[in-house]
Amino acid sequence: MQKFQSVCPFCGTGCSLTLYVENNDIVKVEPNKNAPSNKGMACVKGLSSHEFVKNKERLKKPLIKKNNKFVEFSWDEAIRYVAKNLKQIIKKHGGNSIGILNSSKCTNEENFLMYELASKVLKSPNVDQCARLCHMPSGIAYSKMFGISAMSCSYSDFEKAKAIMICGANPAVQHPIIFNHILNAKRKGVKLIVVDPRKSKTAKSADIHVEIEEGKDDAFYIAICKYLIKNNLIDKEMLRRTKDYDFFIEELKPFGDINELCEYAGVNPNLVEEIGQLIGNNKTIFINGLGLTESAGCVTNVELVGCMALLTGNIGKEGTGVAPLRGQCNVQGASDIQAYYNKKLKYDKNGFPYFEKKFNTALSSTEMVEGILTGQIKALYIMGENPAMSHPNLKLNYKAFKKAEFIVVQDIFMTETAKFADVVLPAASFAEKDGTFTNSERRVQLLEKAVSYNGIEDWKIICMIAKAMGNKKDFNYKNTKQIWDKLRKKIDIYSEITYKKIKQNYGVQFPATKKSEKVLYKSYFYHKEGKAIFPSIRIYPPSMIRNKNFPFRLITAGTLEHFQTGTMSRHCQTLTKINNEPFVNINPKDAKRLKIKDNTMVEITAPNKQKIKAKAKITNDVKENYLFMPVHFNEAKVNLLTSEKLIDISKTPEYKGIIVKIKKI
């Protein structure tokens, strides 16, 4: 029996796995006991990950749509067809008319190559990936404040803290192994604060649960910042390492007093004092998730979390830090490549590192949809993403996909998005490729190719298309190590990370430059003068307010047994046995008032007149006038209900801002 090292393809925890193979068949998956990220632990999804790899519904041959039906073609024919059509569109409309979607489920090497294809062959600036829909606000906020958008600490720091504050995240369900690290810390006396409108599994383990009103996080965090400043619970040494602190204080003044802010946020003001004293006097780690980044004040929400860390000096030391949890296995890596592909690391006159500013003219993934409808975008090349499930206002997306002149989808299954494509190219899964993922704690880890079931590695497909379009010189790679060595010359934060170092150390954490430090921000932030920057602050109220016609706020998220749009997890037999149908959580009082019984079918309707159906599950985990639904099920596509409205500079959809009505069927 052969053993191959790999990384779990689901959430951003980055659990190291060993794949056991006999006769080109994965017979067992085990967590790696020596890996620092998971220490021999894995959740049910990770242990079942081999099941979708060898699922019989995997795409096997390239498909080209003829007379509205898919027909199998050879790889040579399909690649020539793709190259021919892309060339024609570039000749007629220019490279700017092509939109490219990278994937956080693909390797760093593959994401990098897609940028190379876009810049050197397609001549298009329009490259984006799924972080736009979730973690882009963290990217913007922490890059502006600290210079790098990433977890500043490591999972091992959790037990060195005295408090952990989880803001809009449910790691017990979304990141189970990270939550195990948190529970281990809690057993050693670390206090756990959870800010969440639901009684989530994570919230039920908290010492302090702040049951905030959805979309009003910014007001609550402003109240805490005001309390810290008013009561002198600030770290003056840390403030000397910052800029614009006086400006920040002035920015806070118009927002009223703490009681007014708490009333708006639906929070008891006593909690502000309790939390303020706890984080102001103790080492604290601040974790944030999609509850912040998919709400109305998304960038501001994350900035305020960063402000709490700066004010209390809880960054740049062991047992402290900011910790954005990444939702997919390579969100961090794909985002690093997106952020730093054309941005060089420089040093100021005092030797402090900083990144030069980059002017970005690219359309976001959500803007590409609008671009198709206006005629600006003519073609889409989609690698490993499923926007026909994940994008907001799906009906608008469907209209755009039907209008596009040419769509190429590269994936492992016939997804909802692939059904709209003109060409579908069968790709390889995580177990069928070499390469690297970067996890939430900035750890770059290797995947080893273990088997060959179906499809071709994404990086090889990209090279085939580039060569067919006339560029053989820049895409003549023989293996992923060659791509990585090119990547780390371009992406400065990875410059000192080699495959050899990754193998020797169960992964290497970035930034890994000649002058980098193990503890992020210990001596400097990645700005000129080495200083962090306090942001400008404003409150963004939810764009839609509950009313008599739509009296419920719908919260959407994931479940323990499934992942994102279900492409992988719903092809795992173990996971579908646990649950394989959509549901909606409703409070018992609301259910009684509407005469809805447990496990009966209900209909949920949004202001855009879209409707979906699901089974009602009655629970006290949601407050009155709130509902919860998972995002995984194409039988009840929750994003039919979401608005296409994009939030602030992040251009992220307001997924947590849905208002709906519900009735029994």
Side-chain angles (χ1 to χ4, degrees):
M1 187 181 296
Q2 293 177 288
K3 295 193 297 184
F4 296 88
Q5 294 307 304
S6 193
V7 181
C8 179
F10 289 108
C11 81
T13 302
C15 293
S16 177
L17 302 176
T18 300
L19 308 182
Y20 292 82
V21 176
E22 279 186 349
N23 301 320
N24 195 45
D25 183 37
I26 303 173
V27 295
K28 185 171 62 171
V29 176
E30 284 187 350
N32 192 324
K33 294 180 181 179
N34 298 312
S37 291
N38 55 312
K39 295 183 177 179
M41 298 180 287
C43 76
V44 64
K45 287 197 289 286
L47 295 175
S48 306
S49 57
H50 61 300
E51 294 179 7
F52 78 79
V53 174
K54 49 187 181 180
N55 188 284
K56 292 180 180 179
E57 292 183 17
R58 285 280 304 277
L59 293 169
K60 297 175 178 63
K61 293 184 178 180
L63 303 171
I64 297 177
K65 192 172 284 180
K66 298 288 184 181
N67 298 320
N68 213 32
K69 290 184 179 180
F70 283 116
V71 180
E72 290 184 354
F73 280 81
S74 70
W75 272 101
D76 285 344
E77 290 170 320
I79 294 298
R80 285 199 301 269
Y81 186 77
V82 170
K84 175 185 174 183
N85 279 274
L86 291 177
K87 278 182 176 180
Q88 288 176 346
I89 288 169
I90 293 170
K91 184 177 180 179
K92 187 175 180 180
H93 304 288
N96 282 358
S97 67
I98 299 175
I100 301 105
L101 293 189
N102 260 352
S103 177
S104 296
K105 295 184 285 292
C106 291
T107 64
N108 290 315
E109 292 81 357
E110 289 163 342
N111 278 276
F112 174 76
L113 266 196
M114 191 64 98
Y115 270 92
E116 293 277 276
L117 181 76
S119 64
K120 295 180 178 179
V121 179
L122 303 179
K123 308 298 182 183
S124 173
N126 303 316
V127 189
D128 205 4
Q129 42 103 7
C130 75
R132 176 70 57 190
L133 309 178
C134 51
H135 282 290
M136 189 58 67
S138 293
I140 293 170
Y142 288 150
S143 292
K144 283 167 57 180
M145 293 182 70
F146 310 132
I148 289 179
S149 173
M151 186 181 286
S152 68
C153 55
S154 302
Y155 306 154
S156 59
D157 279 295
F158 293 168
E159 62 185 42
K160 299 172 186 175
K162 294 296 182 182
I164 296 174
M165 186 170 180
I166 301 178
C167 308
N170 186 15
V173 168
Q174 305 287 356
H175 301 82
I177 304 309
I178 288 180
F179 192 62
N180 278 345
H181 288 294
I182 293 170
L183 289 179
N184 287 337
K186 195 171 185 296
R187 293 184 192 102
K188 295 182 179 181
V190 175
K191 296 295 183 183
L192 181 59
I193 307 161
V194 175
V195 184
D196 195 316
R198 288 195 300 144
K199 293 183 178 72
S200 66
K201 187 175 180 181
T202 303
K204 290 174 183 177
S205 298
D207 297 289
I208 303 171
H209 176 205
V210 183
E211 209 167 346
I212 197 166
E213 284 292 311
E214 175 59 46
K216 298 182 179 180
D217 303 79
D218 43 13
F220 178 61
Y221 299 130
I222 287 172
I224 292 177
C225 289
K226 279 177 169 280
Y227 180 87
L228 293 170
I229 294 166
K230 180 181 178 180
N231 291 276
N232 201 31
L233 292 169
I234 55 177
D235 188 313
K236 293 182 174 60
E237 183 179 343
M238 177 58 70
L239 291 184
R240 285 192 285 271
R241 297 180 56 200
T242 68
K243 295 173 66 175
D244 296 337
Y245 173 61
D246 292 336
F247 171 74
F248 174 69
I249 292 177
E250 290 299 314
E251 288 270 292
L252 294 181
K253 287 181 179 179
F255 294 117
D257 63 27
I258 290 172
N259 287 335
E260 291 172 329
L261 289 162
C262 287
E263 182 180 2
Y264 171 76
V267 174
N268 187 329
N270 293 335
L271 289 173
V272 171
E273 179 179 4
E274 186 177 2
I275 293 170
Q277 288 292 329
L278 185 56
I279 68 175
N281 290 298
N282 294 282
K283 283 187 172 183
T284 304
I285 290 173
F286 299 88
I287 294 173
N288 74 271
L290 303 192
L292 296 193
T293 59
E294 293 181 347
S295 291
C298 55
V299 172
T300 297
N301 291 339
V302 180
E303 287 174 337
L304 286 165
V305 172
C307 289
M308 290 190 290
L310 284 178
L311 289 171
T312 57
N314 277 310
I315 194 166
K317 296 175 284 192
E318 286 190 344
T320 71
V322 293
L325 298 183
R326 304 313 192 189
Q328 297 190 29
C329 57
N330 200 32
V331 163
Q332 186 65 56
S335 299
D336 293 338
I337 291 163
Q338 182 172 22
Y340 304 116
Y341 181 76
N342 284 321
K343 193 186 288 187
K344 297 301 293 180
L345 184 68
K346 296 187 175 182
Y347 295 87
D348 68 13
K349 62 183 180 181
N350 297 312
F352 291 116
Y354 70 95
F355 289 97
E356 63 182 358
K357 289 186 177 180
K358 170 187 166 187
F359 182 70
N360 188 359
T361 60
L363 295 178
S364 69
S365 62
T366 40
E367 289 175 315
M368 290 178 201
V369 172
E370 183 181 343
I372 295 172
L373 296 174
T374 61
Q376 182 181 357
I377 296 294
K378 303 295 183 182
L380 291 176
Y381 183 175
I382 302 170
M383 177 177 73
E385 290 298 333
N386 192 12
M389 279 283 287
S390 61
H391 269 195
N393 194 343
L394 288 180
K395 193 172 182 181
L396 189 72
N397 283 260
Y398 299 162
K399 182 179 178 182
F401 296 154
K402 289 175 182 177
K403 184 182 177 182
E405 290 185 15
F406 190 62
I407 297 178
V408 181
V409 170
Q410 201 165 293
D411 216 317
I412 59 177
F413 290 102
M414 180 56 73
T415 64
E416 295 297 304
T417 304
K419 293 173 184 177
F420 287 97
D422 297 284
V423 180
V424 180
L425 302 174
S429 70
F430 81 105
E432 300 165 295
K433 63 174 71 173
D434 298 308
T436 58
F437 288 159
T438 307
N439 73 359
S440 286
E441 64 170 351
R442 297 176 282 113
R443 191 176 302 280
V444 183
Q445 300 180 94
L446 276 176
L447 297 84
E448 294 179 332
K449 183 174 181 177
V451 291
S452 294
Y453 288 125
N454 299 290
I456 293 178
E457 294 97 313
D458 291 278
W459 69 268
K460 289 183 178 178
I461 298 173
I462 295 168
C463 289
M464 290 162 66
I465 291 173
K467 290 175 182 178
M469 294 185 71
N471 189 325
K472 296 181 180 180
K473 178 174 69 75
D474 295 315
F475 294 86
N476 195 28
Y477 297 102
K478 292 181 172 59
N479 54 57
T480 57
K481 181 181 179 299
Q482 292 179 344
I483 304 170
W484 177 258
D485 288 339
K486 177 76 176 291
L487 178 157
R488 64 192 187 91
K489 290 178 182 178
K490 185 93 173 176
I491 311 298
D492 288 309
I493 56 174
Y494 291 158
S495 63
E496 295 297 304
I497 302 177
T498 64
Y499 269 26
K500 183 178 180 181
K501 288 180 181 178
I502 298 172
K503 286 181 179 179
Q504 289 174 340
N505 299 286
Y506 295 102
V508 177
Q509 288 176 285
F510 82 80
T513 65
K514 291 180 180 179
K515 295 187 178 182
S516 62
E517 299 178 311
K518 287 186 177 181
V519 177
L520 203 55
Y521 314 134
K522 181 179 180 180
S523 301
Y524 53 81
F525 295 93
Y526 282 72
H527 288 307
K528 288 183 179 180
E529 302 176 37
K531 292 186 175 183
I533 301 171
F534 275 97
S536 175
I537 297 296
R538 60 170 291 189
I539 286 180
Y540 291 84
S543 62
M544 292 189 286
I545 307 299
R546 290 192 301 253
N547 55 60
K548 64 179 182 179
N549 294 321
F550 298 95
F552 287 89
R553 176 77 67 189
L554 174 63
I555 298 175
T556 62
T559 61
L560 176 63
E561 61 274 6
H562 283 296
F563 179 73
Q564 303 296 341
T565 64
T567 302
M568 298 187 299
S569 63
R570 295 194 72 192
H571 287 94
C572 295
Q573 185 179 4
T574 299
L575 302 178
T576 55
K577 281 182 178 179
I578 299 171
N579 178 46
N580 200 32
E581 63 179 4
F583 63 88
V584 56
N585 287 152
I586 184 170
N587 184 274
K589 291 181 180 179
D590 291 323
K592 183 177 180 180
R593 177 170 50 83
L594 296 172
K595 299 179 181 179
I596 294 172
K597 294 182 179 180
D598 202 36
N599 286 318
T600 57
M601 292 299 293
V602 293
E603 182 179 81
I604 303 99
T605 307
N608 64 8
K609 299 181 181 180
Q610 295 299 301
K611 302 175 182 180
I612 58 175
K613 298 175 183 179
K615 275 188 179 179
K617 301 285 185 181
I618 300 172
T619 174
N620 281 305
D621 290 352
V622 291
K623 298 189 290 187
E624 287 185 72
N625 301 315
Y626 275 79
L627 304 172
F628 167 80
M629 287 192 74
V631 298
H632 318 297
F633 301 102
N634 59 5
E635 300 92 333
K637 299 180 179 73
V638 294
N639 284 322
L640 283 169
L641 309 178
T642 48
S643 167
E644 70 275 14
K645 175 181 168 58
L646 305 180
I647 313 169
D648 59 42
I649 58 173
S650 69
K651 300 170 186 174
T652 299
E654 191 182 351
Y655 288 117
K656 301 296 189 282
I658 314 170
I659 58 172
V660 296
K661 59 184 177 182
I662 183 172
K663 68 176 184 179
K664 67 177 182 178
I665 300 175

